[in-house]
Amino acid sequence: MEPFTIFFIFASSLILYTYWILITTKTAKNLPPGPPKLPIIGNIHLLDKQRPHRKLTNLARIYGPIMHLQLGQVSTVVISSPQLAREVLKIQDINFADRPATTTAKIFFYEGSNIGWAPYGNYWRQLKKFATLELLSAKKVRSFFYIREDELTRVSKFLESSSGSPINFREMTRQIVNNIVSRATLGDVCKDRKILLENVYFMLKTFSSFNMSNYYPRLNFLNVISGKKAEWLKMHKEIDLILEKIIEEHRSRPRNPDDHEDIVDILLRVKDTGASFDEPLTNDRVKAIILEMLTAGTSSSSMTIEWAFCEMMKNPEIMRKAQSEVRDVVKGDSITEADIQSMDYMKLVVKETMRLHCVPILLPRQNPEKCIVDGYDIPANTRILINAWACATDPDTWENPHGFIPERFENSSIGFSGTDFEFLPFGAGRRMCPGMNFGLGTVEYVIATLLHRFNWKLPEGVTPDDLDMRELTAISTVPINPLHIVPITVSEPN
Ligand code: HEM
């Protein structure tokens, strides 16, 4: 096709669709307030790629805690207060339990066959129940404890050999979390683990990067013309081949009765017996779930550990308090699960970190039917964004909302379970995170071990005030610059 013809088709489709969107939006009776919309792009120009949650919070100060944005062709409602988050995630949870079907989710996750992107319905319900009660149950997560111990022993050796020199803390925590999650999922011995993780890393980067087709879903042909779709399909094909090999390897390897059952083993057992599901758990679905296990919790767990250390380096008194508690509690060389349960202050540090540095905007939801929230019309298939960060820093709810004060959770009943809408680190309602036990268990164990065995200082010439706490956001947020700090081995921590 001639370039001019392509351009003509593109421009006329865009204008027609935008015209249609503006007409239909106007005829919807009573949309929530929002900023004025520009032709074609609506409010896309108002988005901030690096810190979208902060920009949306500022806009909510002008337009209110329920706000309408037109993002290209996508009618979007942003919720920014704990009261309205409760309305959407609890009172009307069932109306908003669907997810928008994006092109990349369809390609990378086998037509959205994973928990996070499956449409709300029978398959998703069974899958979520199975994940909560089996794959990621408290008992199963406990069985992965030896992996955490193993990985931290390995990392401690590395830190001992680096004692006195700065290390890239982000790189180290990413590796720890990746190793724990991938060993739990794929098993202790998996030839293709390294290559799979490399491919998955690039897939996640693509998945969470700015993508025009998320805002113009009805102009999908643009992805074909630009070559993006071919690129995504190629990336998916490479991952698919590795996953096939991993499944084959799991099926053919000899097993002893006392071997640990990894997540791939469980999935294959359930696939073969047909238990837990009344629809077939096809091979593609198994692969989608494996991929999800490798991607869903890695960046959110490692970024929590990095932020906790950033905050403690900035607030040495908090670091000292957490460290002396950990060293008082631990009696032997290694930390047990019971030890972790007794580390009250360290847990407050984790909670406060997850308040200020949460997944800032929950995964988008969608309402298949039209609804009313706070007296406003929400047309069917609106994209719903819950600004969890705005709720967690709401000045009407929190005193000194931007201060890092772990003590604020002392004697407070606010917890992780998704019933306190001012604190939503794992979301709430039907679509709440099923990996909470796993994620929290990893975060607490890693932080406790690093505090127990090492003292930490900033590199020569850097002061706590020099630490740059600005964020960079993909799905989770990370500090804009990776944290570099110096481990000092403590020979007798207790
Ligand atoms: C500290 C670590 C973690 C944090 C902070 C976290 C946070 C979240 C959040 C905020 C959501 C969105 C919830 C909503 O929309 O209401 C979510 C969803 C999800 N998370 Fe996690 N997560 C963590 C670890 C994990 C782990 C380890 C796994 C699995 C191995 C996991 C699997 C999932 C899945 C499958 C969903 C989608 C649930 C659904 O759509 O029904 N997460 N997570």
Side-chain angles (χ1 to χ4, degrees):
M1 236 191 292
E2 294 288 318
F4 176 76
T5 320
I6 295 172
F7 174 73
F8 179 74
I9 295 174
F10 166 59
S12 44
S13 316
L14 200 60
I15 289 164
L16 278 174
Y17 267 119
T18 309
Y19 182 65
W20 180 76
I21 287 291
L22 289 176
I23 295 291
T24 48
T25 308
K26 276 213 177 88
T27 51
K29 284 128 226 136
N30 179 28
L31 287 178
K37 281 97 182 144
L38 295 178
I40 301 178
I41 60 170
N43 301 116
I44 292 186
H45 62 297
L46 295 178
L47 295 181
D48 173 348
K49 275 193 266 170
Q50 283 203 350
R51 287 172 280 277
H53 52 295
R54 287 182 187 266
K55 180 75 189 191
L56 292 177
T57 305
N58 290 341
L59 286 172
R61 282 199 195 110
I62 304 170
Y63 298 101
I66 176 162
M67 176 171 68
H68 181 262
L69 299 178
Q70 186 66 41
L71 300 179
Q73 296 174 324
V74 179
S75 177
T76 306
V77 164
V78 185
I79 299 292
S80 308
S81 74
Q83 295 73 17
L84 289 180
R86 183 171 182 277
E87 174 72 24
V88 171
L89 299 176
K90 183 173 180 193
I91 298 170
Q92 298 202 43
D93 183 31
I94 194 156
N95 297 337
F96 293 100
D98 212 358
R99 296 261 195 238
T102 66
T103 310
T104 42
K106 278 187 181 164
I107 292 180
F108 292 137
F109 289 103
Y110 300 83
E111 295 297 318
S113 298
N114 59 328
I115 310 167
W117 294 102
Y120 181 68
N122 191 41
Y123 168 67
W124 174 84
R125 268 193 301 275
Q126 292 183 21
L127 182 53
K128 183 83 181 244
K129 189 169 162 201
F130 165 67
T132 314
L133 299 182
E134 262 209 70
L135 277 190
L136 299 166
S137 68
K139 183 170 165 225
K140 190 71 218 162
V141 170
R142 233 173 289 131
S143 79
F144 298 141
F145 193 78
Y146 81 99
I147 303 179
R148 292 190 194 128
E149 278 185 314
D150 243 31
E151 288 301 322
L152 267 296
T153 305
R154 194 184 54 74
V155 165
S156 296
K157 284 193 185 127
F158 157 73
L159 289 174
E160 276 160 24
S161 70
S162 311
S163 185
S165 310
I167 55 136
N168 183 332
F169 193 82
R170 178 173 305 167
E171 209 147 90
M172 179 188 78
T173 44
R174 270 191 184 157
Q175 260 199 26
I176 300 174
V177 173
N178 265 338
N179 287 349
I180 294 174
V181 172
S182 63
R183 281 179 65 184
T185 307
L186 308 172
D188 292 331
V189 190
C190 174
K191 280 205 298 281
D192 297 303
R193 181 166 64 208
K194 195 160 172 274
I195 174 112
L196 178 62
L197 292 184
E198 276 166 18
N199 279 274
V200 165
Y201 173 76
F202 288 112
M203 182 200 98
L204 260 189
K205 245 179 125 170
T206 307
F207 192 69
S208 52
S209 62
F210 186 82
N211 176 354
M212 235 17 200
S213 72
N214 288 341
Y215 302 112
Y216 295 94
R218 294 182 210 92
L219 301 184
N220 233 333
F221 67 90
L222 288 179
N223 293 325
V224 179
I225 295 171
S226 65
K228 282 236 171 296
K229 189 164 180 191
E231 198 183 296
W232 298 334
L233 284 169
K234 182 167 174 272
M235 206 179 266
H236 166 70
K237 186 77 210 157
E238 279 163 15
I239 292 179
D240 182 68
L241 286 174
I242 306 170
L243 288 172
E244 280 290 347
K245 268 176 76 184
I246 288 173
I247 289 178
E248 205 35 61
E249 190 187 273
H250 271 72
R251 285 208 180 280
S252 59
R253 76 178 177 205
R255 292 195 60 86
N256 296 318
D258 49 353
D259 279 353
H260 288 280
E261 197 180 37
D262 59 52
I263 282 179
V264 176
D265 291 326
I266 304 177
L267 285 167
L268 293 179
R269 171 168 53 77
V270 171
K271 177 183 185 312
D272 293 347
T273 57
S276 303
F277 288 84
D278 61 24
E279 300 184 25
L281 191 59
T282 60
N283 223 30
D284 278 358
R285 286 175 167 177
V286 167
K287 287 182 280 185
I289 304 165
I290 299 174
L291 210 47
E292 175 154 67
M293 293 298 122
L294 295 174
T295 50
T298 44
S299 67
S300 28
S301 304
S302 60
M303 69 118 190
T304 306
I305 301 167
E306 187 179 1
W307 277 120
F309 268 77
C310 280
E311 291 289 3
M312 288 192 284
M313 295 310 296
K314 215 165 174 62
N315 300 280
E317 184 48 29
I318 295 177
M319 162 81 87
R320 197 202 54 71
K321 220 170 143 182
Q323 205 155 35
S324 72
E325 177 194 69
V326 168
R327 290 175 188 173
D328 275 355
V329 167
V330 182
K331 295 297 172 227
D333 258 359
S334 54
I335 300 180
T336 64
E337 275 196 275
D339 289 340
I340 301 273
Q341 294 324 314
S342 311
M343 295 176 184
D344 297 334
Y345 190 72
M346 187 274 293
K347 282 169 175 277
L348 298 185
V349 171
V350 170
K351 252 190 184 169
E352 180 67 339
T353 304
M354 296 186 97
R355 181 184 70 83
L356 273 183
H357 307 289
C358 52
V359 174
I361 297 172
L362 301 184
L363 296 182
R365 294 178 177 227
Q366 188 167 285
N367 52 320
E369 307 285 338
K370 66 177 187 219
C371 307
I372 294 183
V373 175
D374 201 29
Y376 295 108
D377 291 337
I378 314 293
N381 299 323
T382 297
R383 198 164 290 181
I384 311 292
L385 301 180
I386 309 285
N387 188 345
W389 184 82
C391 299
T393 53
D394 177 31
D396 294 336
T397 312
W398 300 95
E399 205 174 303
N400 187 2
H402 296 284
F404 187 80
I405 311 167
E407 290 76 6
R408 72 169 80 239
F409 284 105
E410 225 161 21
N411 305 319
S412 151
S413 62
I414 295 177
F416 292 109
S417 61
T419 49
D420 306 292
F421 295 85
E422 63 274 49
F423 183 63
L424 295 167
F426 294 98
R430 285 171 172 73
R431 285 288 185 168
M432 189 176 165
C433 175
M436 185 171 88
N437 288 328
F438 195 177
L440 213 47
T442 302
V443 166
E444 290 176 348
Y445 185 78
V446 173
I447 293 179
T449 308
L450 297 180
L451 288 178
H452 178 232
R453 296 191 190 167
F454 302 93
N455 288 332
W456 296 90
K457 60 175 199 172
L458 290 167
E460 211 48 49
V462 182
T463 69
D465 286 343
D466 295 331
L467 283 176
D468 190 344
M469 303 297 271
R470 282 175 305 155
E471 305 132 329
L472 197 64
T473 305
I475 292 175
S476 316
T477 67
V478 283
I480 194 158
N481 300 311
L483 178 67
H484 283 82
I485 44 177
V486 181
I488 312 282
T489 310
V490 179
S491 40
E492 288 192 17
N494 311 325

